[in-house]
Amino acid sequence: MNSQHDHILTLLRSGALEQAEKEYLRHGLDTDQSSEDVMALGGRILKARALEHDGVERQRLALQAAEKYEAAHTKFNGTFSGINTAALYLVAGHIEQAQKIARSIQTLLNRSSPKPGADAYYHMATLAEAWLILGDHHRAEHMFADAIPLDPHNYDAHASTIKQFEMLLAALDQPNEWLAQFRPPKSLHYAGHLFGLKEGKNSLDNSAIYGLEKAIDDFLETDNYGVAYGALAAGSDIIIAERLLEKGVELNVVQPCPDQLFSRLSLTPFGSGWQTRFDACIHRAASIRYVSQDETVCDSLTTTFASETAMGLAVLHANRLATNAEQLLVWDNDLTQATAGTARDAQLWQKTGQQQHVIPFPFTRNTRSNSLTKNNDTRSLKAMLFADVSGFGNLSEQEIPLFVSQILRPLAEQCHAAQAEHINTWGDGLFIVFNSVAAAAKTATDLQTSFRSINLSSAGLPEELALRIGGHYGPVHSLEDPFLHKSGIFGREVTVAARIEPVTAPGSIFVSEPFACALVLNNQHEFRCEPMPEPVFGKNTGPMTLFSLRRIKPARNQS
């Protein structure tokens, strides 16, 4: 495969559409006819751009994408480029042309013999898509139903088809409720009150615990849940996790702090039996995340951070697989202590509009408490951006004044307009801190828009210059900087934030998993966070799961 093609495809997957298109044209791939994949690349770029718009602009870009795909299909007679040609002509409003090509794709597919597994699935799903384009929704539905069992656990492939069908049904102004039966299993966030066993704090008796387990089992029987995210504190958390594992649901643990400290605070005080059950759940978990590696502090802020991350992961997983996320709480419905804990989780989830299920907590004592300390007053959750300009180091001395006046000045205007809590600069570098991820995301996308509006050639600067921005979210200290005698931002999470920007693709915005989780909980429809295909390794750091960030138009409501 063409290495330039692979590079541009990586940029596309990272969300750097403008940079991908710039590189696509710079390397002359718009005239390269060496393979179907290379020829279809222009169509993929235009399709991605079309899906970020509505109305006439979507149709205009879809038509351009269809023409690019059609050129590849005409030369190589491939079904991948062909079905995308038909689909995008439909989105562009050219229905007759779309249906003509869809019929030809059906003829091609009916002559082929797919291999078992993914090949067979895509064969049948493409036939279903062709029937949908031809207006036979009933046959498309039945053929899609036949496709799923051919590769039953390839949920990413199923989701890709569902998203394609959603695009087509939106273009046809047709309902998409019938797609619900094909969506992958739902994701779940779980949480609940702590309680002890016999000798521990706030103990529940055996009958109350049995009733709780029965209620959780009954809930899990009501729908198809595939993955779950949450912590493993004594009481509700562990009992829910045990029932999830018993039902075959994938357990993903999100812990606020390392195990030894967590055990001392959230397991041991509630009875000796919880540690063994904790260890058993950890052993069977599909993944374990620690939002803090600090062995000394696990306060209410850290647990809040872990809860936000777990909730966000559930929503991000659901978005990736075109399915739904739900929340299960064992809760007393008391909102008087909603600054942290289960009550805060309940309130934050309600703001997402996702479905919430509450199993009443079975009280046996009038008072309950936990062992977590209150948050240190100097620490709070902040969103951080690091940014620099790729190619700055290659500028000549004569170009530096132009860089400051033509690039840094408009970027500074955007930063000042954002009313950030903290700004620091050095050379081409920026460090900006915000109270919310939504404000940070807006500023990051505004900075990229401002940079892209600069005509670098007319400004006397190299066209290879590109802005890259890394974003992170986490607990930091706000303290007086003894050098500058003004408020500064300090902490381990600042170091994490600083390591993201150097591995960010030029022209794009990469954010950490906690940033993406917090954003999807607070502002789902204005921004999109797409996971990178592989973990990224930064300097002096292990693998980082990163997401590309883009601003999009408000999404249609999913049925």
Side-chain angles (χ1 to χ4, degrees):
M1 182 61 65
N2 186 312
S3 61
Q4 295 168 347
H5 166 276
D6 292 346
H7 170 63
I8 293 164
L9 195 57
T10 298
L11 288 173
L12 266 177
R13 288 169 176 166
S14 74
L17 298 188
E18 289 81 3
Q19 192 69 12
E21 187 169 23
K22 185 177 180 180
E23 291 293 292
Y24 170 75
L25 295 172
R26 188 169 74 86
H27 289 295
L29 296 191
D30 55 325
T31 58
D32 188 332
Q33 299 185 12
S34 60
S35 72
E36 180 186 13
D37 286 333
V38 170
M39 288 191 70
L41 191 56
R44 294 182 74 152
I45 293 171
L46 288 163
K47 178 183 177 182
R49 288 180 56 196
L51 293 178
E52 294 191 347
H53 294 84
D54 293 319
V56 174
E57 184 64 8
R58 172 178 280 208
Q59 289 185 319
R60 184 184 72 82
L61 291 168
L63 179 58
Q64 293 179 11
E67 291 168 348
K68 285 285 187 181
Y69 274 117
E70 186 171 26
H73 175 59
T74 300
K75 183 171 179 63
F76 293 97
N77 205 31
T79 55
F80 164 74
S81 56
I83 197 64
N84 275 286
T85 301
L88 287 157
Y89 270 131
L90 180 68
V91 174
H94 295 227
I95 296 178
E96 290 185 8
Q97 200 165 358
Q99 293 183 339
K100 178 182 177 181
I101 295 170
R103 291 189 189 95
S104 71
I105 296 302
Q106 287 182 326
T107 301
L108 282 174
L109 290 169
N110 288 330
R111 292 173 181 169
S112 64
S113 299
K115 298 176 183 179
D119 192 34
Y121 167 79
Y122 280 114
H123 178 95
M124 191 68 72
T126 303
L127 282 171
E129 184 174 345
W131 281 117
L132 188 58
I133 293 168
L134 290 168
D136 193 334
H137 296 185
H138 182 73
R139 191 170 295 187
E141 180 177 350
H142 282 274
M143 196 155 285
F144 193 19
D146 291 338
I148 296 288
L150 298 174
D151 199 6
H153 301 298
N154 193 347
Y155 298 131
D156 284 292
H158 305 168
S160 178
T161 302
I162 289 169
K163 290 174 183 178
Q164 186 85 343
F165 282 16
E166 287 176 333
M167 178 186 75
L168 295 172
L169 291 166
L172 294 166
D173 198 25
Q174 295 291 325
N176 64 14
E177 286 83 358
W178 60 274
L179 291 174
Q181 63 187 305
F182 303 116
R183 297 191 187 279
K186 295 178 178 180
S187 63
L188 188 71
H189 169 256
Y190 68 88
H193 294 308
L194 295 107
F195 61 83
L197 299 171
K198 296 180 180 178
E199 80 279 11
K201 286 185 179 180
N202 313 316
S203 297
L204 294 183
D205 59 31
N206 289 337
S207 63
I209 293 173
Y210 174 80
L212 191 58
E213 291 175 335
K214 179 67 166 59
I216 295 168
D217 285 343
D218 290 346
F219 164 76
L220 293 176
E221 291 291 339
T222 63
D223 214 327
N224 186 14
Y225 297 99
V227 298
Y229 299 85
L232 285 178
S236 303
D237 286 357
I238 288 180
I239 286 183
I240 294 172
E242 289 172 339
R243 306 323 300 162
L244 289 166
L245 290 167
E246 184 68 22
K247 297 292 183 181
V249 179
E250 179 187 293
L251 177 66
N252 297 273
V253 178
V254 184
Q255 291 288 87
C257 58
D259 291 345
Q260 186 173 356
L261 176 59
F262 185 79
S263 295
R264 189 167 75 247
L265 297 175
S266 299
L267 295 175
T268 305
F270 298 90
S272 58
W274 289 117
Q275 184 65 53
T276 300
R277 296 169 72 168
F278 170 89
D279 292 340
C281 290
I282 286 289
H283 180 72
R284 297 177 65 187
S287 70
I288 307 166
R289 292 170 174 82
Y290 299 92
V291 301
S292 171
Q293 295 297 327
D294 195 320
E295 299 278 0
T296 60
V297 176
C298 187
D299 56 14
S300 58
L301 184 71
T302 314
T303 58
T304 293
F305 183 36
S307 292
E308 283 192 24
T309 301
M311 284 186 272
L313 286 168
V315 177
L316 286 169
H317 183 273
N319 289 351
R320 179 172 67 84
L321 294 187
T323 187
N324 297 299
E326 297 181 3
Q327 185 181 59
L328 172 63
L329 299 177
V330 175
W331 182 37
D332 58 11
N333 280 292
D334 182 3
L335 289 172
T336 58
Q337 300 294 325
T339 56
T342 308
R344 186 182 185 279
D345 293 350
Q347 281 195 326
L348 186 54
W349 189 268
Q350 288 166 5
K351 293 178 182 178
T352 71
Q354 307 275 0
Q355 194 165 2
Q356 184 180 78
H357 307 272
V358 176
I359 294 175
F361 182 75
F363 286 98
T364 58
R365 295 179 64 175
N366 293 327
T367 60
R368 290 177 289 110
S369 63
N370 62 54
S371 301
L372 297 177
T373 59
K374 292 184 178 180
N375 175 38
N376 185 310
D377 289 339
T378 68
R379 293 174 76 235
S380 57
L381 292 167
K382 301 290 184 184
M384 296 161 278
L385 300 177
F386 275 91
D388 79 347
V389 177
S390 175
F392 172 79
N394 297 323
L395 294 179
S396 67
E397 285 298 321
Q398 290 78 11
E399 291 170 325
I400 295 299
L402 292 173
F403 178 85
V404 173
S405 63
Q406 301 300 310
I407 292 182
L408 289 190
R409 189 175 299 279
L411 295 184
E413 291 173 356
Q414 287 290 346
C415 288
H416 294 316
Q419 297 182 333
E421 178 178 321
H422 175 87
I423 300 176
N424 196 8
T425 66
W426 55 94
D428 65 322
L430 296 172
F431 176 48
I432 320 169
V433 182
F434 301 85
N435 283 321
S436 74
V437 288
K442 180 180 184 303
T443 300
T445 53
D446 285 346
L447 286 171
Q448 282 290 11
T449 300
S450 177
F451 188 92
R452 292 172 188 141
S453 69
I454 300 169
N455 188 322
L456 295 172
S457 179
S458 297
L461 292 166
E463 293 187 9
E464 290 74 25
L465 295 179
L467 182 65
R468 56 186 178 188
I469 303 174
H472 182 49
Y473 174 72
V476 295
H477 291 272
S478 298
L479 299 167
E480 181 180 339
D481 187 321
F483 290 95
L484 302 176
H485 298 293
K486 64 179 184 179
S487 179
I489 303 298
F490 302 89
R492 294 184 179 185
E493 302 304 321
V494 178
T495 304
V496 174
R499 289 172 175 167
I500 297 172
E501 172 265 311
V503 298
T504 299
S508 61
I509 306 166
F510 286 3
V511 299
S512 67
E513 190 172 73
F515 188 109
C517 289
L519 185 62
V520 79
L521 291 177
N522 289 280
N523 206 315
Q524 293 189 71
H525 303 304
E526 187 177 351
F527 301 97
R528 175 182 293 145
C529 290
E530 296 285 355
M532 296 295 294
E534 299 290 340
V536 175
F537 288 81
K539 183 179 180 181
N540 300 322
T541 184
M544 296 185 290
T545 300
L546 298 181
F547 293 71
S548 68
L549 168 69
R550 290 181 64 79
R551 177 181 280 156
I552 58 172
K553 296 286 185 181
R556 291 174 179 267
N557 290 330
Q558 180 176 289
S559 65

